[in-house]
Amino acid sequence: MISETTTERLGRFGDFGGRYVPEALVAALEELDEHRQKAMSDPEFLGALAELHRSYTGRPSIITEVPRFAEHCGGARVVLKREDLNHTGSHKINNVLGQVLLTKRMGKSRVIAETGAGQHGVATATGAALLGLECTVYMGRVDTERQALNVARMRLLGAEVVPVDHGSRTLKDAVNEAFRDWVTNVDSTHYVLGTVTGPYPFPEMVRDFHRIIGVEARQQVLDAYGRLPDAVCACVGGGSNAMGIFHRFVDDPDVRLIGLEGGGEGVDSGRHAARFTGQATPGVLHGAYTYVLQDDDGQTVESHSVSAGLDYPSVGPEHAFLRDSGRAEYAPVTDDEAMEAFALLARTEGILPAIESAHALAGAMKVGRELGPEGLVLVSLSGRGDKDVDTAARWFGLLSGEEIVEAEQKKAEEPVGESAGSGG
Ligand SMILES: Cc1ncc(COP(=O)(O)O)c(C=O)c1O
């Protein structure tokens, strides 16, 4: 039974958050909380994490001003925080390295993860390989198809990838499956949750591992421009890259925090992942009380976005709090708008962004036009677009008919849907 545990006010952001889990997981969450609280004040743990950031991930990630792209943003200056340059290609590695170090600290030998765009799965498979942990990654069948390259990457890294065939066969269903595995194997296994949602302590812990993005970016912008940005834009799936870059700016009231959601085919089309447009209502999903796309009976409504990483019907509870308290703004970006921003950054600056990050770029184009030439906009470039080349090439019709047939044939010969059965 899913019910709120006795620790009723634990991990709340206003009314949001909490811990709604089956009894079997309460002890594991308490163990995790105890370990991570101690770890976060242990110089040895923090030193080991900092060393991995430096020598493995490549932190600090740089900032890059993009003047040719900014010509399409009302003349405002636009600066990218380059999480795309991290090892494995996205911000996801920041959280994973923290959690795999914690897994070792807890004496566990196996990690599991859910993944949508595949970047969190790739990061987890990487961290598991680095520390010698067994790794299983759950991924919706639809996502295994649109992110086939990342499925291959995870398998090469030694992870077992399990395609999920329930529901919409996307991220929500992968999370359900990962929770099921965790309940069964909780003694040996840590669940490396990939975003700022789930039961306490995940939203807080994942945010704290990503906070480094905003800590670095704030200082880098101050050093380069002598002032803070007027706005910080980030895409919001579960919300981890956004919380990571927002958090250090929360106490800077003049800095607008803008989260961009997957607007899909438009919020009126019913095919979108925009939770903050009045269509989502507070409810419980995946262990947290937050905004959920749901029908009148409380059944989760399926979401849609061109971007696998934003295709999620719920959102991290701290975002729900930031939104209701008015500290952060959220807006939908349609698939078309995101793909336009994707192409624009590629052609004006030579940078292929992840399609998720392209939503943040589309947001920057809008806010830049509001701010005008005096404006300074910081954008979280949460990941690189290598994984999305196939999707983008099809979107823009860049492959000839012949090439498409060839690619389809290749896909049919090498089904990505089957587990590699690597056992590791
Ligand atoms: C590059 C990239 N950006 C953003 C996201 C969305 O996740 P979050 O909202 O937790 O940052 C993903 C998810 O897979 C991703 O791969």
Side-chain angles (χ1 to χ4, degrees):
M1 192 187 90
I2 306 285
S3 61
E4 190 163 21
T5 62
T6 44
T7 45
E8 203 173 302
R9 301 304 302 172
L10 207 60
R12 293 279 174 173
F13 305 96
D15 285 340
F16 300 104
R19 179 190 275 175
Y20 298 82
V21 291
E23 284 299 320
L25 289 182
V26 172
L29 289 166
E30 280 174 0
E31 180 196 24
L32 174 62
D33 195 27
E34 201 186 316
H35 276 94
R36 69 110 199 176
Q37 295 223 29
K38 283 193 185 138
M40 293 309 261
S41 56
D42 176 355
E44 205 177 306
F45 177 86
L46 294 175
L49 184 56
E51 179 54 23
L52 283 179
H53 279 328
R54 194 188 62 76
S55 64
Y56 193 69
T57 308
R59 299 207 73 88
S61 65
I62 58 173
I63 56 168
T64 302
E65 185 166 351
V66 284
R68 280 174 29 82
F69 178 82
E71 284 170 20
H72 304 262
C73 305
R77 298 180 87 168
V78 177
V79 183
L80 310 180
K81 177 62 174 165
R82 302 290 306 278
E83 294 299 294
D84 60 314
L85 297 180
N86 290 345
H87 178 51
T88 72
S90 80
H91 69 293
K92 296 285 180 186
I93 194 77
N94 301 317
N95 167 46
V96 163
L97 290 178
Q99 288 204 48
V100 289
L101 285 179
L102 276 179
T103 305
K104 278 276 186 191
R105 231 177 130 100
M106 290 187 289
K108 297 191 177 188
S109 59
R110 177 174 178 259
V111 286
I112 56 172
E114 84 296 336
T115 196
Q119 289 302 95
H120 176 58
V122 166
T124 306
T126 300
L130 182 69
L131 297 191
L133 300 163
E134 216 186 311
C135 178
T136 302
V137 179
Y138 293 95
M139 189 167 189
R141 173 83 60 180
V142 169
D143 293 337
T144 62
E145 283 157 13
R146 54 183 166 174
Q147 300 290 321
L149 198 61
N150 272 340
V151 175
R153 285 170 80 193
M154 287 183 262
R155 289 177 175 159
L156 287 169
L157 291 161
E160 181 189 9
V161 180
V162 181
V164 176
D165 276 314
H166 314 300
S168 54
R169 299 175 296 153
T170 57
L171 186 55
K172 154 180 76 73
D173 313 290
V175 179
N176 284 336
E177 217 47 43
F179 270 115
R180 249 174 238 139
D181 181 321
W182 200 27
V183 169
T184 314
N185 300 299
V186 73
D187 289 342
S188 65
T189 300
H190 172 61
Y191 178 12
V192 183
L193 216 157
T195 191
V196 285
T197 190
Y200 176 84
F202 281 109
E204 191 175 300
M205 179 178 73
V206 176
R207 177 202 70 202
D208 289 347
F209 286 140
H210 279 304
R211 216 178 151 269
I212 193 164
I213 306 171
V215 169
E216 285 177 4
R218 187 177 183 280
Q219 194 58 51
Q220 287 166 323
V221 170
L222 276 175
D223 290 347
Y225 301 95
R227 70 171 182 107
L228 291 174
D230 297 297
V232 180
C233 292
C235 66
V236 183
S240 65
N241 86 95
M243 270 323 304
I245 198 162
F246 285 176
H247 199 251
R248 184 63 183 85
F249 292 96
V250 165
D251 294 330
D252 299 315
D254 293 337
V255 179
R256 285 172 67 186
L257 305 177
I258 307 176
L260 290 312
E261 302 186 275
E265 293 170 12
V267 289
D268 297 330
S269 70
R271 282 178 53 75
H272 64 83
R275 290 69 44 101
F276 289 136
T277 51
Q279 302 196 3
T281 47
V284 171
L285 186 68
H286 298 144
Y289 180 68
T290 182
Y291 277 84
V292 183
L293 287 169
Q294 55 189 330
D295 65 20
D296 292 342
D297 298 324
Q299 295 299 313
T300 310
V301 171
E302 286 178 10
S303 53
H304 163 81
S305 168
V306 63
S307 150
L310 304 187
D311 193 353
Y312 183 58
S314 179
V315 62
E318 194 165 3
H319 284 290
F321 172 68
L322 288 178
R323 190 264 194 164
D324 278 12
S325 65
R327 178 63 191 93
E329 310 156 41
Y330 296 83
V333 168
T334 64
D335 292 349
D336 286 337
E337 290 168 330
M339 294 312 290
E340 188 195 329
F342 177 101
L344 193 62
L345 190 73
R347 289 183 192 171
T348 56
E349 301 285 349
I351 299 171
L352 278 181
I355 297 178
E356 289 80 7
S357 319
H359 287 69
L361 292 165
M365 290 170 76
K366 287 185 199 172
V367 73
R369 285 174 194 148
E370 275 173 44
L371 293 169
E374 299 303 311
L376 178 61
V377 184
L378 172 66
V379 180
S380 170
L381 203 76
S382 56
R384 59 178 170 244
D386 304 28
K387 70 183 175 59
D388 294 320
V389 167
D390 188 55
T391 305
R394 282 161 202 280
W395 183 276
F396 296 113
L398 302 180
L399 297 171
S400 69
E402 216 170 69
E403 283 164 326
I404 288 177
V405 171
E406 210 175 283
E408 293 296 350
Q409 266 172 358
K410 226 171 167 191
K411 232 179 187 176
E413 282 161 22
E414 301 164 346
V416 293
E418 301 299 316
S419 162
S422 64

